[in-house]
C-alpha cells in the first residue's frame, strides 16, 4: 500500500515529467546543448597553435639567411611571409596580417660566422599574451635546431649548459581537448541544474499554479523532492550523453572508475539543483531568475572554476571567492577522474565540500520555501 | 454537524507597500454554518481574496483567530488544508498538461486511493460535461471549461469546506448555470459547506447567506432576502414610450430622489432614496414636457443587488459634463463605420470564425455576444488588425486596420479582455505612455492626463503599480488608457468581466455617454443584462452568427407561453438550445 | 517616423526595466561586480604556482639553478623531495603543478663542458597551464645558460635571440583578456534585455495593446532597441573606467573609434536579441534562445582562444559573430593604439549584421502578430 506522502510525491514527479516531455526547450537544453557545446569545445577551439602567420625580413639576403628561412618554412607551426624591409613588415603587423617578425639585420651572416653577437630581432604582437608566448617558444625551437645544425656543419659544438627533458603526465601531447571536454560537462550540468530549474519553478509562481499546489495537503519537502527528482534524472541523462560523447567521440580517456564519476556527478547535480531552486524562490519571476542563474552559476563556472583559468595564479582574494563556487570542486574532480584516475586525496576532499554545500543549500531552501504567500 | 464550518474572530491583516501600511482586513468576525452556501460579496479591493487566503492558511493574520471545522488554521495549516478545498481566482491548472493529467496530479496530491479514482473521475467528468475532453490540453479549453476543470480538481476528495474565489469570472451564462448546479449538488448530496466570492449579484441571491465586506470591514451578514427587505417600496420599473432606455437611464440617474437607475428590459429600474408611492414620483421635466408617449411607473420587488447598491453607492459618483444629452431617437448618420463581410478565420482544421457579416453605424453601441469559445475574441482581433483574416473583408472607418497606415489606428481605442497594461509601471506612467503612443504631447497630453485621473478617480492610485490595483481600478485604468486620444471608434473586449456592480454601472454610464456623443462602440460581453445597453447585437455560436438584431428582437424570439417576459439571459439560452436541437444556423 | 512616439516607448521600456528593484539590481550591480572579479581571475599568467624540486645532484650548478627558480615570481617551491617515490603523489593530488628533477652529476657535466640534465614532470590535466609553465621554465633555463657562460667565460657560437613584444610589452595576459570581458559582459546584458522585451509583453498580453496604437512596427523596433543600446553604452563606460583606472590597462588609441565600435556592436547585439524575442512565444524560450546564441558567440569570438587555431569551417562561422569584430576593435584601440582607419574592416561587418538582423526582426514583428 502506497503511503499518502509517497503518493503526493509521485504526483509531483509525474507532473514534472509530463511537462518536460511536452516542452521542447527543456529537451533542447538537456540533449542538444551538450552536443553543440562538446563539439564546439572538442573540435572548435584549441590552444594548440599551428600555421601562425610570421613575417621574415633579411636586410641582406644570402645563403645563410636562406637556410634559416628554409627552416621556418619547413616548420608546421608557421606560415611564413617574406618582406623586403622592416617597415613593410611592421605595417603588416599593424594590419594584423602577421603575428610576428623575424628580422635578420644586414650584418647577421658576417657576425655569425665571426662568432660575434649575431643580431637577430624578434618582434611579436603581444596582444594575445598567451599566443605570443607560444609563438616565441616555437621561434626559439626552430632557431635552436637551426643553430645546432649550423654549428655542426661548421664543426663547432654548441654549448648548452642545461638540457631540459619534459615529461607531461596524464596528457602527454598537451592536447587542450583533453581538459576542455571535462570542463564542458561541468558547464552543461550547471546550466541544466540551475538555469533550467530556476526558470521552471519561477514559472509556477508567475502563472499562479503555486497557489493551487499550496492549499493541497502537499508538504514542502515533498514538493522539493518531487521537483528535484525529474530534473535530476534529466541532468544525469544529459551527463551520460556527454560522457559517452567524450569517451567515444572525442577520445578522452576515462582513467578513473565509472561509478565514482557517477556518484560525484550526482552530488554536483544536486548542489546545482538546490541553487536553482533557491534562485527561483528568491526571484519568483522568470526574468530575474534567468538573469540570476546566469550571473550566479553559469559565468562563475566559466571563469572561476579553474576550467579555463588557473586558480592558483589568481590573487588571494579571488582565490577565496572561488572557494564558494561549486563548479570549482567538480572541475577538479572530473579532470582528475578523466585524465589521472581514482586519486583519492583529490576525490575525498572535493566530494566532501560538495556534500557540505548540498546540506547547506538544502537547509536554506527548506527554510525559505514556506507554504505561505508572504 | 452542529458546529460552525468556519469561524473567524476579530481577524485583521496588514500589508505594507511603499512604506504605507494598508489595512486589508479590519477586525472581521463571522461564522458560517455547515451545509450552507455563503456568498462573500464586496466591491473590488474589499479584502475578499485576502480573507480566503487567510482561511486557507496561505497568509497569517496580524491578529485574531480562524477555525475551520474546529481546527485552528494558524497553528495547524496542514490539517486544515487536508479538510478544505480552495480554488483561487486563477486556478493552478497546468496549461501544458491534459485534462486527465491535471486530474491525476490533484488526485495524487489529495491522496485519493487508486481504486476510488476512476469512479470519482467519471462522476466529476459527467457532472461537468467534460468526459469527451479528457485528452485535451488544459490550455486549449475555453474559460468556462477551465473553471469547471478547476472545480473538479478541487472536488476530487469532497472537502468539508469549499472555498471558491470568483469562480464564475469570465464564464458564459450556460457554463455559469452548470457551475452552480455542481455546487448545489455537492451541498445537498455531501453536505459540503461552501464559501464563494462573486461579483454577480444574481449569484449572491442564490446563496443561503451573504457576507458583505467593504474596505476590509464586515458590513453585514444575513440571508439575501432579509438584506433586501428594507428596500421594499423603494424600487420601481419606469418606462417612457418613445424615449430610448439609455437616455431615460441617464436622465433618471441624475434625478434628485433617485439613488440608482439601471437599464432593465426596455425600461429602467430605479432605487429611490426613500420609500415613496409610485404615483408620488415626479419625473424630470425633460421627460414629461415633450410629446412622449405614456409614462408607466410600476413598483417591483427589491433584489439583493439593490441592497448592495443602497449600502455602498454614494450618490453622484460621476459628475456629468454635459447637461442632458439630446433626446433624438434617430441617429443622424446612417453610414456604416464598421463593416464585416463574410469574415472567416481558420486555425488549421479548426474554423474559429465562419463567414460572419454585420455592419455598425456611427454612434451605435454594438454588442457581440456568445459563450466562451464562440469566436467573439477571434473576430474582435481581426477587426483590430491583430490577426490576419483567412477570407472575407473587414473595414473599420473605411480601412482594413491590418494593412492601413498606422495613422488610421489613431482613430480607434482598444481595451483587451485580459488586463493588458504594464503591471510594473505606475498608473500615471501607463497613461503617459499610451497617450504618447497615440501621438499626444505637450499641453494637450497634460490636460487629458488630468481628465483621466479625475474622471476615473485614480488620484489615490496615481503612483501605484498597475499590477497592484484592485480589479475594478485596473478596468478603469484600461478604459482611461483607451480613451486618452479621444477615439472615434472603441473596441471593448469583455470590459466588465469580474468587475463589481458599482464599477459596472460607472462603466456603462461612461460608455453610454460616449455613444451619445457619437463614438461608435463595439463591445463583447457575456453579462446578458448588459446586452440591454446595446443598440444592436449579434449572438455568436461556434464561429457563426446565430441571431442579429436589437435586444428586443432577441427577446421576442424567446417569448412564448412558458416565458411571457424573457430576460436577455433566457433569450440567449433559448437561442443556444434551439440551435443545438436543429444543428444549424437559424436566423441571420 | 514619429520621434515622440519612439521616445515614449523607449522611456516606457526604461521604466519597466528600472522600476522593479530586483531587475534594477540584476542589471546594474552584477556586471560591475563581475568585471572586478573576472578581471582579477581571468589570466593565463602563472604566478606563484606551487612546484616541487628533487635535487639528486647537490653540486654548485644545481644550487644556482634552484636559486634561480626561487627568484622567479612564477613559481613557488613548496616541497623539496628526497626520493623518487614522492613525485607521483604530489602530482596526482594536485599539490604541485610540476616537479623539477635535477639528475645526478648535473654540476659535474656542466663543469666538464657538456650539458646538465633536468627532467620536468608536469601535470597535464590542464594542458594549457602545463604548457605555459613549461615555456616559463624553458625561458628561465636559457637565461641560466647565458649567465653561467658569461660568468665562466665560455664562448661559443654566441647567439642570443632578442625578442620584443609589441603592444603588450610584458606579455600580461590580463591586458588581453580584460578587454574581452568588456565585450562579453555588455553582450550578455544587452542580449538579455532585448531578448526578453517582446517575449515578456507577449506573455503579459500587452504586445497587442501596443500593436493597436498608431505605432509602426519599425517604430516599435527602434523604441525597443534604444534601451538595450543605452544600457549597454552606460555599462561599457563604467567598465572602461574600471579597466583604465583599476586594472591600469593603457588606452592608447582613439576613444572615438572605440565608441563607434561599441555602438555598432550593441546595435548588432540588439538586432540578434530582438530577433530571438520575435521568434519566441514565452520568456523561457527567449532566455534559452539567448543562451544558445550567447555561449557559441563567446567561445567562437577569440575571447580566450585564437580564431586562427580553429578548424577552417568553424572559422567561417565566426564571421557571423559580432563579438569577433568587437574584440579586435577593443584590443586594437586599447593596446595597439588603432584609430578608425585600421578598424574599418571590423566596422562594416557589424553594420551589416545589425541591418540584416534588425530588418529580419521587423519583418517577424509584422508577420508574427498572433
Amino acid at each position: 500500500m502506497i503511503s499518502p506522502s509517497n503518493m503526493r510525491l509521485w504526483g509531483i514527479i509525474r507532473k514534472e515529467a509530463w511537462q518536460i516531455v511536452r516542452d521542447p526547450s527543456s529537451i533542447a537544453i538537456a540533449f542538444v546543448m551538450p552536443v553543440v557545446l562538446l563539439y564546439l569545445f572538442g573540435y572548435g577551439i584549441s590552444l594548440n597553435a599551428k600555421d601562425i602567420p610570421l613575417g621574415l625580413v633579411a636586410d641582406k639576403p644570402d645563403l645563410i639567411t636562406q637556410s634559416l628561412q628554409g627552416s621556418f618554412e619547413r616548420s608546421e607551426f608557421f606560415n611564413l611571409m617574406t618582406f623586403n624591409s622592416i617597415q613593410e613588415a611592421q605595417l603588416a603587423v599593424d594590419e594584423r596580417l602577421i603575428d610576428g617578425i623575424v628580422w635578420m639585420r644586414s650584418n647577421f651572416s658576417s657576425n655569425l660566422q665571426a662568432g660575434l653577437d649575431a643580431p637577430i630581432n624578434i618582434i611579436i604582437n603581444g596582444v594575445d599574451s598567451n599566443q605570443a608566448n607560444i609563438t616565441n617558444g616555437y621561434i626559439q625551437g626552430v632557431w635552436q635546431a637551426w643553430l645546432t645544425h649550423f654549428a655542426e656543419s661548421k664543426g663547432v659544438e654548441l654549448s648548452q649548459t642545461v638540457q631540459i627533458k619534459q615529461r607531461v603526465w596524464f596528457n602527454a601531447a598537451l592536447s587542450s581537448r583533453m581538459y576542455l571536454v571535462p570542463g564542458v560537462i561541468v558547464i552543461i550540468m550547471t546550466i541544466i541544474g540551475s538555469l533550467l530549474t530556476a526558470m521552471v519553478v519561477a514559472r509556477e509562481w508567475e502563472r499562479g499554479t503555486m497557489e493551487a499546489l499550496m492549499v493541497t495537503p502537499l508538504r514542502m519537502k515533498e514538493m522539493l523532492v518531487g521537483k528535484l527528482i525529474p530534473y535530476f534524472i534529466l541532468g544525469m541523462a544529459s551527463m551520460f550523453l556527454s560522457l559517452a560523447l567524450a569517451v567515444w567521440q572525442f577520445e578522452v580517456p576515462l582513467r578513473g572508475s565509472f561509478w565514482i564519476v557517477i556518484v560525484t556527478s550526482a552530488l554536483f547535480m544536486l548542489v546545482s539543483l538546490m541553487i536553482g531552486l533557491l534562485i527561483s524562490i528568491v526571484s519568483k519571476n522568470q526574468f530575474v531568475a534567468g538573469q540570476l542563474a546566469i550571473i550566479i552559476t553559469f559565468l562563475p563556472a566559466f571563469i572561476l572554476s579553474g576550467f579555463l583559468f588557473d586558480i592558483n595564479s589568481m590573487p588571494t582574494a579571488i582565490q577565496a571567492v572561488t572557494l564558494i563556487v561549486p563548479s570549482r570542486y567538480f572541475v577538479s574532480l572530473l579532470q582528475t577522474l578523466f585524465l589521472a584516475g581514482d586519486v583519492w586525496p583529490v576525490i575525498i576532499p572535493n566530494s566532501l565540500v560538495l556534500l557540505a554545500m548540498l546540506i547547506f543549500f538544502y537547509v536554506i531552501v527548506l527554510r525559505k520555501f514556506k507554504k505561505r504567500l508572504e | 454537524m452542529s458546529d460552525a464550518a468556519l469561524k473567524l474572530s476579530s481577524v485583521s491583516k496588514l500589508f505594507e507597500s511603499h512604506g504605507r501600511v494598508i489595512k486589508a482586513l479590519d477586525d472581521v468576525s463571522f461564522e458560517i454554518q455547515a451545509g450552507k452556501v455563503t456568498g462573500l460579496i464586496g466591491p473590488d479591493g474589499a479584502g475578499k481574496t485576502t480573507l480566503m487566503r487567510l482561511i486557507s492558511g496561505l497568509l497569517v493574520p496580524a491578529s485574531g483567530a480562524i477555525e475551520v471545522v474546529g481546527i485552528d488554521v494558524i497553528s495547524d495549516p496542514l490539517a486544515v488544508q487536508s479538510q478544505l478545498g480552495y480554488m483561487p481566482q486563477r486556478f493552478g491548472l497546468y496549461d501544458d498538461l491534459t485534462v486527465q493529467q491535471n486530474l491525476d496530479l490533484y488526485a495524487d496530491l489529495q491522496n485519493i486511493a487508486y481504486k476510488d479514482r476512476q469512479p470519482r473521475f467519471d462522476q466529476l467528468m459527467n457532472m461537468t460535461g467534460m468526459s469527451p475532453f479528457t485528452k485535451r490540453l488544459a490550455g486549449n479549453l475555453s474559460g468556462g471549461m477551465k473553471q469547471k476543470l478547476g472545480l473538479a480538481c478541487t472536488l476530487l476528495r469532497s472537502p468539508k469546506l469549499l472555498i471558491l474565489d470568483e469562480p464564475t469570472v469570465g464564464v458564459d451564462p450556460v457554463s455559469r448555470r452548470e457551475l452552480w448546479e455542481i455546487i448545489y449538488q455537492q451541498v445537498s448530496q455531501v453536505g459540503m459547506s461552501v464559501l464563494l466570492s462573486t461579483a454577480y449579484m444574481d449569484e449572491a441571491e442564490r446563496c443561503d447567506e451573504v457576507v458583505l465586506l467593504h474596505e476590509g470591514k464586515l458590513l453585514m451578514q444575513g440571508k439575501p432576502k432579509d438584506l433586501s427587505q428594507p428596500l421594499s417600496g423603494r424600487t420601481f420599473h419606469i418606462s417612457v414610450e418613445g424615449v430610448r432606455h439609455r437616455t431615460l437611464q441617464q436622465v433618471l440617474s441624475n434625478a434628485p430622489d433617485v439613488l440608482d437607475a439601471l437599464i432593465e428590459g426596455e425600461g429602467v429600474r430605479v432605487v429611490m432614496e426613500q420609500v415613496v408611492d409610485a404615483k408620488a414620483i415626479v419625473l424630470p421635466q425633460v421627460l414629461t414636457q415633450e410629446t412622449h408617449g405614456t409614462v408607466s411607473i410600476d413598483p417591483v420587488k427589491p433584489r439583493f443587488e439593490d441592497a448592495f447598491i443602497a449600502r455602498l453607492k454614494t450618490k453622484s459618483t460621476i459628475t456629468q459634463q454635459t447637461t442632458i444629452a439630446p433626446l433624438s431617437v434617430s441617429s443622424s448618420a446612417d453610414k456604416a463605420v464598421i463593416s464585416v463581410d463574410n469574415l472567416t478565420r481558420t486555425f488549421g482544421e479548426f474554423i474559429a470564425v465562419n463567414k460572419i457579416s454585420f455592419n455598425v453605424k456611427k454612434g451605435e453601441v454594438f454588442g457581440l455576444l456568445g459563450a466562451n469559445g464562440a469566436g467573439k475574441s477571434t473576430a474582435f482581433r481581426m477587426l483590430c488588425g491583430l490577426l490576419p483574416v483567412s477570407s472575407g473583408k473587414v473595414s473599420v472607418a473605411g480601412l482594413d486596420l491590418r494593412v492601413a497606415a498606422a495613422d488610421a489606428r489613431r482613430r480607434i481605442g482598444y481595451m483587451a479582455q485580459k488586463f493588458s497594461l504594464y503591471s510594473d509601471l505606475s498608473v500615471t506612467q501607463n497613461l503617459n505612455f499610451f497617450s504618447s503612443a497615440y501621438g499626444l504631447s505637450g499641453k494637450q497630453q497634460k490636460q487629458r492626463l488630468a481628465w483621466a485621473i479625475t474622471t476615473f478617480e485614480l488620484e489615490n492610485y496615481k503612483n501605484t503599480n498597475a499590477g497592484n490595483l484592485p480589479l475594478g481600478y485596473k478596468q478603469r485604468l484600461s478604459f482611461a488608457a483607451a480613451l486618452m486620444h479621444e477615439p472615434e471608434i472603441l473596441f471593448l473586449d469583455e470590459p466588465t468581466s469580474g468587475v463589481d456592480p458599482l464599477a459596472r454601472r460607472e462603466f456603462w454610464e461612461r460608455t453610454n455617454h460616449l455613444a451619445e456623443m457619437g463614438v461608435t462602440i463595439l463591445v463583447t460581453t457575456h453579462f446578458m443584462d448588459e446586452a440591454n445597453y446595446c443598440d444592436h447585437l449579434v449572438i455568436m455560436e461556434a464561429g457563426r452568427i446565430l441571431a442579429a438584431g436589437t435586444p428586443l428582437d432577441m427577446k421576442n424570439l424567446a417569448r412564448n407561453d412558458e416565458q411571457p417576459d424573457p430576460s436577455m439571459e433566457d433569450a440567449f439560452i433559448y437561442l443556444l438550445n434551439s440551435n443545438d436541437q436543429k444543428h444549424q444556423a437559424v436566423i441571420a | 517616423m514619429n520621434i515622440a512616439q519612439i521616445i515614449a516607448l523607449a522611456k516606457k521600456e526604461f521604466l519597466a526595466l528600472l522600476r522593479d528593484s530586483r531587475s534594477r539590481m540584476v542589471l546594474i550591480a552584477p556586471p560591475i561586480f563581475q568585471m572586478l572579479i573576472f578581471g582579477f581571475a581571468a589570466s593565463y599568467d602563472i604566478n606563484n604556482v606551487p612546484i616541487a624540486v628533487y635535487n639528486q645532484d647537490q653540486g654548485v650548478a644545481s644550487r644556482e639553478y634552484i636559486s634561480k627558480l626561487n627568484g622567479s615570481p612564477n613559481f613557488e617551491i613548496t616541497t623539496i623531495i628526497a626520493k623518487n617515490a614522492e613525485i607521483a603523489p604530489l602530482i596526482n593530488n594536485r599539490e604541485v603543478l610540476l616537479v623539477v628533477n635535477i639528475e645526478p652529476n648535473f654540476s659535474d657535466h656542466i663543469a666538464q663542458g657538456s650539458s646538465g640534465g633536468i627532467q620536468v614532470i608536469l601535470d597535464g590535466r590542464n594542458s594549457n597551464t602545463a604548457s605555459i609553465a613549461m615555456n616559463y621554465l624553458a625561458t628561465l633555463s636559457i637565461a641560466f645558460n647565458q649567465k653561467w657562460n658569461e660568468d665562466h667565460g665560455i664562448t661559443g657560437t654566441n647567439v642570443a635571440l632578442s625578442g620584443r613584444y609589441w603592444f603588450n610589452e610584458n606579455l600580461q595576459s590580463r591586458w588581453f583578456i580584460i578587454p574581452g570581458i568588456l565585450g562579453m559582459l555588455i553582450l550578455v546584458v544587452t542580449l538579455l534585455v532585448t531578448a526578453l522585451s517582446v517575449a515578456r509583453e507577449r506573455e503579459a498580453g500587452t504586445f497587442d495593446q501596443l500593436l493597436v496604437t498608431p505605432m509602426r512596427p519599425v517604430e516599435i523596433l527602434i523604441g525597443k532597441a534604444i534601451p538595450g543600446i543605452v544600457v549597454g553604452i552606460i555599462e561599457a563606460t563604467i567598465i572602461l573606467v574600471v579597466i583604465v583606472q583599476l586594472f591600469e590597462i593603457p588606452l592608447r588609441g582613439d576613444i572615438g573609434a572605440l565608441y563607434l565600435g561599441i555602438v555598432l556592436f550593441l546595435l548588432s547585439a540588439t538586432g540578434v536579441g530582438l530577433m530571438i524575442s520575435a521568434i519566441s512565444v514565452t520568456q523561457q524560450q527567449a532566455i534559452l534562445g539567448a543562451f544558445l546564441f550567447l555561449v557559441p558567440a563567446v567561445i567562437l569570438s577569440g575571447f580566450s582562444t585564437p580564431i586562427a587555431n580553429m578548424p577552417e569551417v568553424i572559422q567561417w562561422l565566426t564571421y557571423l559573430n559580432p563579438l569577433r569584430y568587437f574584440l579586435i576593435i577593443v584590443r586594437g584601440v586599447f593596446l595597439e593604439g588603432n584609430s578608425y582607419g585600421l578598424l574599418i574592416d571590423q566596422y562594416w561587418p557589424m553594420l551589416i549584421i545589425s541591418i540584416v538582423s534588425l530588418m529580419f526582426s521587423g519583418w517577424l514583428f509584422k508577420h508574427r502578430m498572433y
Side-chain angles (χ1 to χ4, degrees), chain C residues 25-160:
Chain C
M25 253 265 300
V26 159
L27 215 56
I28 296 163
I32 292 158
F33 196 57
Q34 279 168 5
M35 184 68 231
L36 294 177
I37 292 195
F38 296 167
F40 283 114
S43 159
Y44 287 126
D45 302 335
I46 290 185
N47 301 310
N48 296 321
V49 162
I51 64 169
V53 173
Y54 178 26
N55 189 357
Q56 304 185 59
D57 172 65
Q58 307 296 354
V60 187
S62 66
R63 259 175 285 149
E64 199 155 315
Y65 190 83
I66 291 170
S67 76
K68 191 110 193 153
L69 274 177
N70 248 333
S72 158
N74 308 121
F75 303 114
E76 191 182 327
I77 301 173
T78 54
T79 320
I80 304 285
I81 300 180
K83 53 181 193 292
N84 222 342
E86 288 177 62
I87 296 175
L90 279 176
I91 297 265
N92 282 343
N93 304 349
R94 304 200 114 165
E95 281 168 43
V96 297
L97 176 69
L98 57 88
V99 176
V100 178
N101 177 1
I102 302 173
E103 289 174 358
N105 309 323
F106 175 80
S107 302
D108 290 348
H109 283 162
I110 291 178
Q112 286 158 18
S114 62
S115 300
I118 288 182
Q119 195 191 35
V120 180
I121 299 120
L122 293 134
D123 178 357
R125 267 171 282 190
N126 187 331
S127 61
N128 190 39
T129 313
S131 33
I132 294 166
M134 191 58 220
N135 253 327
Y136 283 125
L137 210 59
T139 316
L140 184 135
S141 303
I142 290 168
F144 174 80
N145 279 354
Q146 276 178 348
K147 180 101 191 334
W148 182 270
N149 287 354
E150 261 171 44
D151 290 354
H152 296 79
I154 301 168
T155 50
T157 330
N158 196 4
V159 186

Side-chain angles (χ1 to χ4, degrees), chain B residues 381 386-388 402 406 409-410 414 418 420-422 424-426 429 433-434 436-439 463 465, chain C residues 2 5 8-9 12 15-16 19 200-201 203-206 208-216 366 369-370:
Chain B
R381 290 167 61 78
L386 288 171
L387 194 68
R402 191 162 164 82
R409 286 201 292 267
R410 188 158 294 153
Y414 171 73
K418 212 176 108 197
S420 55
L421 299 185
Y422 298 97
D424 39 10
L425 298 191
S426 76
Q429 284 165 344
F433 168 65
F434 280 103
S436 304
Y438 279 99
N463 297 319
N465 278 6
Chain C
N2 189 323
Q5 288 174 1
L9 178 58
K12 182 233 98 191
L15 285 171
R19 241 180 104 81
R200 209 180 189 186
E201 293 214 27
E203 255 187 32
T206 50
D208 279 358
Q209 199 75 50
L210 202 57
L211 287 174
V212 296
T213 68
M215 296 190 76
R216 276 169 257 266
K366 225 178 174 165
M369 276 188 179
Y370 49 91

Side-chain angles (χ1 to χ4, degrees), chain B residues 25 42-43 69 80 90 105 197 225 245 274 348 390 394 550 554:
Chain B
L25 285 177
V69 289
V80 168
R90 277 163 69 204
L105 168 65
S197 66
K225 270 211 186 79
H245 52 10
Q274 276 143 11
S390 297
V394 176
T550 63
M554 302 285 168

Side-chain angles (χ1 to χ4, degrees), chain A residues 41 44 122 124 126-127 129 136 143 160-161 163-167 169 179 203 283 287 291 335-336, chain C residues 22 94 103 115-116 118-120 122 124-125 134 141 159 164-166 168 173 176 192 196 284 299 310:
Chain A
F41 275 95
I122 311 281
I124 299 172
V127 169
S129 55
N136 185 41
W143 169 248
Q160 202 174 16
T161 321
Q163 210 170 30
I164 298 185
K165 283 172 279 179
Q166 85 179 40
R167 269 174 51 203
W169 286 10
Y179 87 93
R203 192 175 57 184
S283 54
F287 175 76
Q291 295 260 29
Q335 284 181 352
T336 301
Chain C
R22 278 175 310 189
R94 304 200 114 165
E103 289 174 358
S115 300
I118 288 182
Q119 195 191 35
V120 180
L122 293 134
R125 267 171 282 190
M134 191 58 220
S141 303
V159 186
R164 264 194 304 141
Y165 297 101
W166 277 13
N168 181 0
S173 66
F176 171 68
L192 286 178
L196 283 173
Q284 185 178 345
I299 294 169
M310 296 171 189

